[in-house]
Amino acid sequence: MLHPAHRLAKDQLKAVIERIERLEEEKKATADDIRDVYAEAKGNGFDVRALRKVVNLRKLDADERREQEEVLETYLHALGMLS
């Protein structure tokens, strides 16, 4: 027979694991939905790589975005890819 404290810990552990599993299922469903939206966008003629880049850029605040763009421009210029 389990001590009451052990029983409580076992129940809490089980609840945590079940929550994680449920969230993992939701995450997979969401990822599938996102993939479907990109596929639909591609079917409508949009460039998926550009869409992904726009989505990632929109996650950044203006200063972070500007900094990334400046670094990229510096690198491209150094490589002779910009005039």
Side-chain angles (χ1 to χ4, degrees):
M1 179 123 184
L2 284 178
H3 186 276
H6 292 313
R7 181 77 172 142
L8 178 61
K10 180 182 174 183
D11 291 345
Q12 287 177 330
L13 176 60
K14 183 178 178 185
V16 167
I17 295 298
E18 288 172 349
R19 283 177 53 205
I20 292 169
E21 290 171 341
R22 192 169 43 257
L23 290 168
E24 288 290 342
E25 289 174 11
E26 291 174 16
K27 182 170 74 171
K28 184 189 179 313
T30 299
D32 290 345
D33 290 345
I34 291 169
R35 187 179 59 246
D36 292 346
V37 171
Y38 278 116
E40 178 183 336
K42 183 177 181 176
N44 288 325
F46 291 102
D47 183 298
V48 172
R49 287 186 304 180
L51 292 175
R52 288 185 190 280
K53 183 68 174 174
V54 169
V55 169
N56 287 328
L57 287 172
R58 286 173 52 103
K59 291 177 187 177
L60 304 175
D61 68 34
D63 290 333
E64 290 174 312
R65 187 171 47 251
R66 192 174 312 107
E67 182 181 334
Q68 280 192 11
E69 290 169 352
E70 288 172 0
V71 169
L72 177 61
E73 185 175 325
T74 300
Y75 287 4
L76 292 174
H77 186 72
L79 295 169
M81 298 174 73
L82 295 177
S83 34

